[in-house]
Amino acid sequence: TVEETYNIVSQIVQSININNMNQKIPFSIMDTNQEVLFSSLDVTLDKTMISSLNTENAGWTIKETENGIYIQTFRQAIYLDNVFYIETVQDITHIFQTQTAQYKTLIKIMLGMLVFAGTLTVLISKLLLKRIVALTEVTKTISEGNLSKRASTQGNDEITLLSENFNQMANH
């Protein structure tokens, strides 16, 4: 009878240990009416997924409660022509806490890199503009009539060439 089958299943599951990486995984066994025949679960979660299961597939979902984040799995099992559902629930809060910490670290690194790149950009632009500003001051002084002023011609680039040309103009 169905009742005898349920009694047998209840006795069998009480002796079953599901282990993963030397950790005992709590589980529950339910019938098609979602009546719990056995449970070693510490937490009770929604079981609406059961209606979409069959012997060919299992189901899982991630549930967030005020106590943590859990992964809930279901698998259909048939024993003596009766359908049962095996449910496992694992606390995975630590995974999301680690992920959150990693995101915070990544954001800090990115902000640090942004500050570094911005500072480096400002320093390089000031270095490049320093010679242009000096040349601009010399040309302004020359345009005001002080032809004795000369631009610095240190270096070997376009700014040096431009400074040399301004100095030649001032000599004429």
Side-chain angles (χ1 to χ4, degrees):
T1 68
V2 173
E3 191 172 311
E4 288 174 348
T5 302
Y6 283 16
N7 287 335
I8 292 170
V9 169
S10 294
Q11 291 172 5
I12 291 172
V13 297
Q14 291 180 30
S15 65
I16 295 175
N17 283 326
I18 301 175
N19 291 301
N20 184 16
M21 297 181 351
N22 295 325
Q23 290 184 345
K24 188 175 180 180
I25 298 176
F27 69 99
S28 71
I29 303 288
M30 293 163 280
D31 64 12
T32 53
N33 297 322
Q34 297 184 13
E35 181 182 324
V36 176
L37 304 175
F38 172 83
S39 180
S40 61
L41 297 176
D42 299 332
V43 64
T44 303
L45 300 173
D46 179 11
K47 299 176 184 356
T48 54
M49 184 185 300
I50 289 177
S51 62
S52 65
L53 299 179
N54 59 44
T55 55
E56 301 298 319
N57 64 19
W60 63 272
T61 186
I62 294 178
K63 303 273 182 153
E64 186 171 355
T65 69
E66 53 194 44
N67 297 327
I69 302 171
Y70 301 91
I71 186 165
Q72 178 185 34
T73 63
F74 289 99
R75 179 76 184 181
Q76 190 182 74
I78 298 176
Y79 179 71
L80 298 175
D81 293 328
N82 293 294
V83 176
F84 298 95
Y85 296 96
I86 303 168
E87 174 191 20
T88 62
V89 176
Q90 287 276 300
D91 186 351
I92 57 172
T93 305
H94 64 283
I95 294 171
F96 288 91
Q97 288 172 339
T98 302
Q99 185 182 38
T100 301
Q102 289 173 346
Y103 282 140
K104 287 179 181 179
T105 301
L106 179 64
I107 288 171
K108 288 176 185 176
I109 290 170
M110 290 175 67
L111 287 174
M113 290 173 60
L114 186 63
V115 167
F116 175 74
T119 303
L120 190 62
T121 301
V122 167
L123 291 175
I124 290 173
S125 65
K126 282 190 181 245
L127 209 83
L128 292 173
L129 289 175
K130 181 179 176 184
R131 292 177 57 208
I132 294 172
V133 168
L135 180 60
T136 303
E137 288 175 6
V138 169
T139 58
K140 184 177 179 183
T141 303
I142 291 173
S143 71
E144 291 172 350
N146 184 355
L147 299 177
S148 64
K149 191 75 172 169
R150 296 292 179 259
S152 173
T153 57
Q154 295 175 340
N156 190 17
D157 58 8
E158 287 78 13
I159 296 173
T160 304
L161 183 61
L162 186 61
S163 297
E164 290 172 354
N165 289 337
F166 269 99
N167 291 340
Q168 283 181 355
M169 283 183 359
N171 288 338
H172 293 296

